[in-house]
Amino acid sequence: MAAEPQPKALTRKPLLLNKVEGSQEVVNMAAIVPKEDGVISVSEDRTVRVWLKRDSGQYWPSIYHAMPSPCSCMSFNPETRRLSIGLDNGTISEFILSEDYNKMTLVKSYQAHQSRVIMILFVLEMEWVLSTGQDKHFTWHCSESGQRLGGYRTSAGACGLQFDVETRHVFVGDHSGQVTILKLEQESCSLVTTFKGHTGGVTALCWDPIQRVLFSGSSDHSIIMWDIGGRKGTAIELQGHNDKVQSLSYAHHTRQLISCGADGGIVVWNMDVERQETPEWLDSDSCQKCDQPFFWNFKQMWDSKKIGLRQHHCRKCGKAVCGKCSSKRSSIPLMGFEFEVRVCDSCHESITDEERAPTATFHDSKHNIVHVHFDATRGWLLTSGTDKVIKVGERNVLLY
């Protein structure tokens, strides 16, 4: 159920703290080093770089390391300074960074996938490295020995990957639009369930272990919030992008979801509100408001001597309606529709100004964003993407 976009919603002027430039190709992933004025990045140009802020206020590379293949993803653990890097050739290489972040030492490499590594997660509590790849496999390895512990074949190439330490559940989102939940043991896994709510492939996942909510972003431009902890099967849609959602991050202390996409949009969603599920679209052969037949209802058209009409759906009540009975548009933020969408005339009259109050803020980065990282210790937000520039912005004041 894609929203009908009405973009133009910049709520306040973003403030850019710093730019980190120098990569020759797309920066696929980057992360702020907590408690340090530093950034780690991996790029399609095969480089791993650690950037430290100098006295001049600019970031300069303290480490410049060339890998044998383009770097597709990374996972950094600040406690152990362990940096796991996924490569285009299916290899995962692990390094330990020195305390001053001026040296990186290779610990081990292993062939985790047969093709490009898409996502990596390092789980310190289990000493596991989880990964997904274009080879349609999810795998996990022992980070100490490098030994493969197990794997699971997904229905399509997997992009999203999240893990819950408490229950040992792993969430895998793939290009078919499905989210698979697996229960991991030391050397085996079992299928728990699958979710399917997107009309396009899943491109990003984000897990809130406190509220036990999973967010999935998709190439269908939407985000779905899956209430797993509530055990009610609630799925809330969020519509705020005009192109595929490519990265998600969550600020636990403020309950804000940050989404970035190929449209250059950065959307900050307030998840500390009571949201509503979007209704299922109802089936009908005629308008459920005026009873005019739709164009495939030949019998009613013949009997009433009327020309059939095109079918639409009200985003608020889900009823099948004709264009005349749904001539109005309205935003419905509590249902996730921050842009104006089609609603039937009666629903339009029932929506109050308070219900139209936005629950998200919108910012334009002016380039295709591939990855976003939020550092909760300082409230800094980092984005990277196709413009080859890493940008760091101040807390809740986002960047161009």
Side-chain angles (χ1 to χ4, degrees):
M1 288 186 256
E4 297 172 17
Q6 298 289 330
K8 204 65 186 170
L10 187 64
T11 59
R12 54 180 175 264
K13 186 176 181 179
L15 175 64
L16 178 64
L17 292 180
N18 227 310
K19 287 184 180 182
V20 183
E21 301 178 88
S23 298
Q24 302 303 308
E25 297 290 343
V26 176
V27 179
N28 285 318
M29 198 168 284
I32 298 168
V33 181
K35 301 178 183 178
E36 296 282 342
D37 278 330
V39 171
I40 303 172
S41 67
V42 296
S43 171
E44 204 68 31
D45 65 9
R46 301 191 299 115
T47 63
V48 181
R49 308 188 198 207
V50 179
W51 312 79
L52 295 182
K53 195 173 184 180
R54 305 304 184 187
D55 293 339
S56 64
Q58 297 300 309
Y59 285 91
W60 292 93
S62 61
I63 295 175
Y64 179 102
H65 185 87
M67 300 296 290
S69 181
C71 305
S72 52
C73 58
M74 58 169 265
S75 176
F76 177 64
N77 182 265
E79 294 179 50
T80 61
R81 299 189 307 282
R82 182 189 295 264
L83 178 64
S84 305
I85 300 169
L87 302 180
D88 191 62
N89 63 12
T91 301
I92 293 178
S93 295
E94 292 188 350
F95 297 84
I96 296 295
L97 301 185
S98 61
E99 289 188 26
D100 60 5
Y101 290 93
N102 283 305
K103 182 181 179 182
M104 55 191 286
T105 304
L106 179 65
V107 178
K108 68 178 70 68
S109 292
Y110 37 92
Q111 192 69 30
H113 297 275
Q114 298 303 309
S115 57
R116 187 178 179 93
V117 183
I118 302 300
M119 283 292 293
I120 300 175
L121 285 179
F122 171 64
V123 184
L124 179 61
E125 293 83 351
M126 280 80 181
E127 296 289 350
W128 287 347
V129 175
L130 316 179
S131 63
T132 59
Q134 281 185 344
D135 59 359
K136 301 181 182 180
H137 275 87
F138 157 74
T139 65
W140 73 103
H141 291 73
C142 173
S143 62
E144 292 300 302
S145 66
Q147 177 186 354
R148 179 185 169 109
L149 300 176
Y152 183 87
R153 183 174 175 83
T154 56
S155 58
C159 286
L161 178 64
Q162 290 288 284
F163 182 73
D164 181 57
V165 174
E166 182 182 339
T167 63
R168 294 191 180 186
H169 285 156
V170 64
F171 308 94
V172 182
D174 63 47
H175 288 308
S176 74
Q178 180 172 284
V179 178
T180 301
I181 303 179
L182 304 170
K183 170 79 171 181
L184 296 193
E185 303 299 343
Q186 187 60 31
E187 296 184 5
S188 66
C189 71
S190 56
L191 177 64
V192 177
T193 188
T194 57
F195 296 152
K196 191 165 178 64
H198 289 289
T199 58
V202 174
T203 50
L205 292 179
C206 188
W207 172 243
D208 175 7
I210 300 172
Q211 301 295 325
R212 309 201 65 76
V213 167
L214 180 72
F215 300 96
S216 60
S218 171
S219 58
D220 65 10
H221 311 178
S222 74
I223 301 164
I224 296 180
M225 181 183 80
W226 308 90
D227 182 6
I228 294 173
R231 300 182 181 275
K232 297 178 181 178
T234 306
I236 306 295
E237 285 189 51
L238 303 174
Q239 302 280 0
H241 287 276
N242 300 321
D243 206 332
K244 65 179 177 179
V245 179
Q246 300 198 126
S247 187
L248 299 171
S249 188
Y250 191 71
H252 301 278
H253 61 297
T254 57
R255 293 195 64 188
Q256 288 178 311
L257 177 71
I258 304 162
S259 63
C260 296
D263 58 357
I266 303 173
V267 185
V268 182
W269 305 86
N270 177 15
M271 302 312 299
D272 198 21
V273 294
E274 193 67 34
R275 294 187 177 272
Q276 304 167 15
E277 276 193 287
T278 53
E280 290 292 328
W281 284 5
L282 303 178
D283 292 326
S284 178
D285 289 330
S286 56
C287 176
Q288 294 180 300
K289 293 294 182 179
C290 69
D291 203 36
Q292 285 269 51
F294 294 132
F295 62 84
W296 62 83
N297 188 352
F298 298 113
K299 184 179 186 302
Q300 189 174 345
M301 282 194 293
W302 178 263
D303 292 343
S304 62
K305 301 294 188 292
K306 293 179 180 178
I307 298 175
L309 304 176
R310 182 184 172 191
Q311 176 184 319
H312 301 281
H313 283 93
C314 173
R315 291 342 189 240
K316 191 173 192 314
C317 67
K319 289 183 177 179
V321 290
C322 67
K324 185 178 179 181
C325 293
S326 58
S327 59
K328 305 291 177 57
R329 300 289 186 276
S330 177
S331 60
I332 320 174
L334 293 181
M335 281 188 169
F337 296 116
E338 294 288 336
F339 300 149
E340 291 189 345
V341 292
R342 181 184 295 273
V343 293
C344 66
D345 293 352
S346 55
C347 282
H348 186 271
E349 293 177 5
S350 70
I351 301 173
T352 64
D353 290 340
E354 289 77 13
E355 290 176 311
R356 291 190 178 92
T359 61
T361 57
F362 296 78
H363 312 269
D364 183 11
S365 70
K366 296 182 170 61
H367 72 280
N368 181 335
I369 298 176
V370 174
H371 180 70
V372 60
H373 175 245
F374 180 72
D375 175 23
T377 60
R378 282 169 293 187
W380 288 1
L381 185 76
L382 173 152
T383 64
S384 60
T386 56
D387 67 347
K388 309 171 191 175
V389 178
I390 302 166
K391 299 178 182 179
V392 181
E394 194 176 0
R395 171 182 180 147
N396 292 335
V397 184
L398 305 183
L399 46 141
Y400 284 116

Tab-separated table of all heavy atoms in Angstrom, residues 281-289 294 311-314 317-322:
chain	number	residue	atom	x	y	z
A	281	TRP	N	-7.486	-3.997	2.708
A	281	TRP	CA	-8.320	-3.486	1.633
A	281	TRP	C	-9.446	-4.480	1.339
A	281	TRP	O	-9.199	-5.683	1.141
A	281	TRP	CB	-7.474	-3.262	0.383
A	281	TRP	CG	-6.641	-2.019	0.482
A	281	TRP	CD1	-6.517	-1.193	1.559
A	281	TRP	CD2	-5.832	-1.459	-0.555
A	281	TRP	NE1	-5.675	-0.147	1.275
A	281	TRP	CE2	-5.235	-0.281	-0.007
A	281	TRP	CE3	-5.547	-1.817	-1.865
A	281	TRP	CZ2	-4.380	0.522	-0.744
A	281	TRP	CZ3	-4.689	-1.009	-2.606
A	281	TRP	CH2	-4.120	0.145	-2.055
A	282	LEU	N	-10.660	-3.984	1.338
A	282	LEU	CA	-11.843	-4.833	1.148
A	282	LEU	C	-12.106	-5.069	-0.340
A	282	LEU	O	-11.827	-4.214	-1.179
A	282	LEU	CB	-13.062	-4.182	1.803
A	282	LEU	CG	-12.927	-3.883	3.312
A	282	LEU	CD1	-14.177	-3.187	3.829
A	282	LEU	CD2	-12.681	-5.178	4.088
A	283	ASP	N	-12.651	-6.218	-0.637
A	283	ASP	CA	-13.023	-6.563	-2.011
A	283	ASP	C	-14.505	-6.262	-2.234
A	283	ASP	O	-15.348	-6.517	-1.365
A	283	ASP	CB	-12.771	-8.045	-2.281
A	283	ASP	CG	-11.276	-8.382	-2.284
A	283	ASP	OD1	-10.507	-7.522	-2.723
A	283	ASP	OD2	-10.915	-9.483	-1.842
A	284	SER	N	-14.817	-5.727	-3.396
A	284	SER	CA	-16.208	-5.450	-3.738
A	284	SER	C	-16.325	-5.273	-5.249
A	284	SER	O	-15.376	-4.840	-5.911
A	284	SER	CB	-16.698	-4.184	-3.021
A	284	SER	OG	-18.032	-3.888	-3.374
A	285	ASP	N	-17.481	-5.617	-5.800
A	285	ASP	CA	-17.732	-5.427	-7.233
A	285	ASP	C	-18.332	-4.064	-7.526
A	285	ASP	O	-18.507	-3.701	-8.697
A	285	ASP	CB	-18.673	-6.518	-7.753
A	285	ASP	CG	-17.993	-7.882	-7.803
A	285	ASP	OD1	-16.757	-7.907	-8.000
A	285	ASP	OD2	-18.668	-8.901	-7.634
A	286	SER	N	-18.660	-3.320	-6.451
A	286	SER	CA	-19.225	-1.983	-6.637
A	286	SER	C	-18.774	-1.086	-5.498
A	286	SER	O	-18.319	-1.561	-4.443
A	286	SER	CB	-20.764	-2.052	-6.669
A	286	SER	OG	-21.268	-2.660	-5.493
A	287	CYS	N	-18.879	0.203	-5.699
A	287	CYS	CA	-18.455	1.164	-4.688
A	287	CYS	C	-19.228	0.943	-3.392
A	287	CYS	O	-20.469	0.863	-3.402
A	287	CYS	CB	-18.685	2.590	-5.202
A	287	CYS	SG	-18.307	3.882	-3.998
A	288	GLN	N	-18.508	0.841	-2.293
A	288	GLN	CA	-19.148	0.580	-1.004
A	288	GLN	C	-19.730	1.842	-0.369
A	288	GLN	O	-20.218	1.806	0.753
A	288	GLN	CB	-18.147	-0.099	-0.062
A	288	GLN	CG	-17.759	-1.493	-0.542
A	288	GLN	CD	-16.778	-2.187	0.382
A	288	GLN	OE1	-15.676	-1.697	0.608
A	288	GLN	NE2	-17.169	-3.323	0.912
A	289	LYS	N	-19.717	2.947	-1.119
A	289	LYS	CA	-20.349	4.181	-0.666
A	289	LYS	C	-21.604	4.500	-1.489
A	289	LYS	O	-22.661	4.773	-0.933
A	289	LYS	CB	-19.352	5.344	-0.741
A	289	LYS	CG	-18.200	5.231	0.242
A	289	LYS	CD	-18.672	5.352	1.680
A	289	LYS	CE	-17.527	5.299	2.664
A	289	LYS	NZ	-17.956	5.438	4.064
A	294	PHE	N	-18.098	-1.330	-10.490
A	294	PHE	CA	-16.760	-1.163	-11.028
A	294	PHE	C	-16.711	-1.757	-12.429
A	294	PHE	O	-17.590	-2.524	-12.824
A	294	PHE	CB	-15.733	-1.815	-10.109
A	294	PHE	CG	-15.620	-1.129	-8.765
A	294	PHE	CD1	-15.637	-1.860	-7.580
A	294	PHE	CD2	-15.500	0.254	-8.685
A	294	PHE	CE1	-15.537	-1.230	-6.347
A	294	PHE	CE2	-15.398	0.898	-7.449
A	294	PHE	CZ	-15.421	0.156	-6.273
A	311	GLN	N	-11.791	1.217	-9.534
A	311	GLN	CA	-11.813	0.975	-8.094
A	311	GLN	C	-10.632	1.644	-7.401
A	311	GLN	O	-9.508	1.618	-7.888
A	311	GLN	CB	-11.772	-0.532	-7.818
A	311	GLN	CG	-11.693	-0.873	-6.331
A	311	GLN	CD	-11.559	-2.366	-6.099
A	311	GLN	OE1	-12.193	-3.164	-6.760
A	311	GLN	NE2	-10.732	-2.755	-5.179
A	312	HIS	N	-10.904	2.263	-6.256
A	312	HIS	CA	-9.871	2.802	-5.371
A	312	HIS	C	-10.125	2.255	-3.968
A	312	HIS	O	-11.134	1.586	-3.726
A	312	HIS	CB	-9.921	4.333	-5.344
A	312	HIS	CG	-9.724	4.961	-6.697
A	312	HIS	ND1	-8.490	5.109	-7.269
A	312	HIS	CD2	-10.624	5.479	-7.580
A	312	HIS	CE1	-8.615	5.681	-8.453
A	312	HIS	NE2	-9.901	5.929	-8.668
A	313	HIS	N	-9.211	2.561	-3.046
A	313	HIS	CA	-9.403	2.154	-1.652
A	313	HIS	C	-9.107	3.329	-0.728
A	313	HIS	O	-8.129	4.059	-0.938
A	313	HIS	CB	-8.508	0.974	-1.282
A	313	HIS	CG	-9.003	-0.340	-1.795
A	313	HIS	ND1	-8.604	-0.867	-3.005
A	313	HIS	CD2	-9.896	-1.216	-1.270
A	313	HIS	CE1	-9.206	-2.025	-3.201
A	313	HIS	NE2	-9.999	-2.258	-2.164
A	314	CYS	N	-9.941	3.476	0.291
A	314	CYS	CA	-9.697	4.471	1.330
A	314	CYS	C	-8.600	3.945	2.244
A	314	CYS	O	-8.690	2.822	2.750
A	314	CYS	CB	-10.979	4.729	2.128
A	314	CYS	SG	-10.742	5.789	3.576
A	317	CYS	N	-10.247	3.519	6.136
A	317	CYS	CA	-11.200	2.459	6.476
A	317	CYS	C	-11.016	1.206	5.628
A	317	CYS	O	-11.549	0.142	5.962
A	317	CYS	CB	-12.640	2.954	6.370
A	317	CYS	SG	-13.161	3.357	4.674
A	318	GLY	N	-10.316	1.323	4.505
A	318	GLY	CA	-10.053	0.168	3.663
A	318	GLY	C	-11.158	-0.188	2.686
A	318	GLY	O	-11.034	-1.156	1.932
A	319	LYS	N	-12.228	0.583	2.651
A	319	LYS	CA	-13.355	0.255	1.774
A	319	LYS	C	-13.011	0.513	0.311
A	319	LYS	O	-12.230	1.394	-0.021
A	319	LYS	CB	-14.591	1.070	2.170
A	319	LYS	CG	-15.215	0.629	3.491
A	319	LYS	CD	-16.482	1.410	3.798
A	319	LYS	CE	-17.122	0.896	5.091
A	319	LYS	NZ	-18.355	1.657	5.427
A	320	ALA	N	-13.617	-0.299	-0.556
A	320	ALA	CA	-13.475	-0.125	-2.001
A	320	ALA	C	-14.425	0.983	-2.440
A	320	ALA	O	-15.642	0.889	-2.223
A	320	ALA	CB	-13.790	-1.426	-2.718
A	321	VAL	N	-13.876	2.023	-3.046
A	321	VAL	CA	-14.691	3.192	-3.389
A	321	VAL	C	-14.343	3.679	-4.793
A	321	VAL	O	-13.272	3.382	-5.327
A	321	VAL	CB	-14.478	4.336	-2.376
A	321	VAL	CG1	-15.083	3.994	-1.024
A	321	VAL	CG2	-12.987	4.654	-2.220
A	322	CYS	N	-15.246	4.435	-5.381
A	322	CYS	CA	-14.995	5.037	-6.685
A	322	CYS	C	-14.281	6.376	-6.492
A	322	CYS	O	-14.168	6.884	-5.371
A	322	CYS	CB	-16.307	5.243	-7.444
A	322	CYS	SG	-17.407	6.478	-6.699
